[in-house]
């Protein structure tokens, strides 16, 4: 008997399946996994998978949607840190970059996010989920820039270049075969991008 199945608490099967799916998306890609493999990784039966999700597409969308929810929650939490109100602008940007790093550098999260971005170009449902993630990152940056004293129009103009840099770092680390290893000067470059006038 599979001992993992014995440890799954009643009523948590859906959550366990979503966790396993996101893990596998990061490890193998969106299109390289089956329902059976997800069930095996979750320590559940295939029947449990099909009980919770009508098909593979529904499972993938639910896993990506849950990932987007976690990004939104993380970004919102980052903006209510008490220390941000009294931080210097540079310390504020360092804190924001640490939040980006935490999101990008958890095992498989960054790779799953890159998979989501690529799939968004082909699948409108995934594009909606991807847009939620990007909106959360933009909200985090706009909030941080506002706390740092930038006016809203100037902050909006700077947000996209910071996001492009952060996503570029993630893509570069994946292309180098070292996902989650960001450049050591990344926070310095982020500061320059955030503070250099356009």
């Amino acid at each position: 008997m599979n001992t993992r199945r014995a440890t799954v608490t009643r009523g948590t099967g859906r959550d366990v399946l979503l966790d396993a799916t996101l893990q596998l998306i990061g490890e193998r890609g969106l299109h390289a996994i089956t329902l059976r493999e997800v069930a095996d990784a979750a320590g559940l039966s295939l029947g449990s998978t099909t009980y919770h999700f009508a098909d593979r597409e529904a499972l993938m969308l639910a896993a990506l949607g849950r990932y987007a929810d976690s990004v939104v929650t993380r970004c919102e939490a980052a903006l209510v840190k008490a220390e941000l109100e009294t931080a210097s602008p540079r310390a504020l940007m360092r804190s924001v970059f640490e939040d980006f790093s935490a999101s990008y550098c958890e095992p498989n999260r960054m790779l799953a996010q890159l998979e989501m971005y690529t799939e968004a170009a082909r699948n409108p449902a995934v594009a909606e989920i991807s847009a939620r993630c990007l909106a959360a990152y933009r909200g985090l940056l706009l909030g941080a820039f506002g706390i740092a004293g930038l006016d809203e129009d100037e902050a909006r103009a700077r947000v996209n270049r910071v996001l492009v840099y952060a996503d570029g770092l993630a893509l570069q680390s994946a292309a180098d075969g070292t996902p989650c290893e960001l450049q050591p000067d990344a926070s310095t470059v982020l500061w320059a991008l955030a503070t250099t006038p356009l």
Side-chain angles (χ1 to χ4, degrees):
M1 179 176 167
N2 185 334
T3 56
R4 290 182 69 187
R5 287 185 186 158
T7 63
V8 175
T9 306
R10 183 174 174 79
T12 63
R14 187 176 194 280
D15 292 336
V16 172
L17 288 166
L18 293 175
D19 289 343
T21 301
L22 194 63
Q23 177 82 15
L24 289 171
I25 289 171
E27 289 175 2
R28 301 185 41 211
L30 269 168
H31 297 288
I33 54 179
T34 66
L35 288 175
R36 183 173 301 283
E37 289 169 324
V38 171
D40 288 345
L44 295 170
S45 68
L46 179 60
S48 295
T49 307
T50 56
Y51 172 79
H52 289 287
F53 301 99
D55 55 26
R56 186 186 166 287
E57 173 83 355
L59 175 60
M60 297 299 148
L61 290 175
L64 292 175
R66 187 172 187 215
Y67 171 76
D69 291 343
S70 74
V71 169
V72 170
T73 299
R74 186 172 291 204
C75 288
E76 289 174 349
L79 280 175
V80 296
K81 293 178 183 174
E83 63 269 19
L84 294 188
E85 294 295 339
T86 57
S88 69
R90 187 155 193 156
L92 180 66
M93 287 298 103
R94 190 176 302 112
S95 176
V96 168
F97 187 75
E98 286 168 3
D99 288 312
F100 269 122
S101 297
S103 183
Y104 279 110
C105 291
E106 284 184 15
N108 294 307
R109 284 178 65 93
M110 184 264 288
L111 291 173
Q113 182 163 305
L114 292 176
E115 285 280 332
M116 178 180 64
Y117 286 171
T118 303
E119 186 65 15
R122 303 181 198 101
N123 184 326
V126 176
E128 289 178 23
I129 296 168
S130 181
R132 283 178 38 219
C133 285
L134 289 171
Y137 290 134
R138 284 188 183 99
L140 171 61
L141 289 170
L142 284 172
F145 288 159
I147 294 168
L150 269 69
D151 98 355
E152 189 173 340
D153 289 339
E154 192 170 351
R156 285 188 186 284
R158 295 179 186 189
V159 163
N160 280 339
R161 62 181 171 173
V162 172
L163 282 176
V164 166
Y165 174 69
D167 283 337
L169 281 179
L171 186 59
Q172 180 180 334
S173 69
D176 287 340
T178 57
C180 302
E181 289 184 20
L182 301 183
Q183 300 294 323
D185 64 347
S187 60
T188 301
V189 176
L190 180 67
W191 170 251
L193 290 170
T195 57
T196 303
L198 298 173

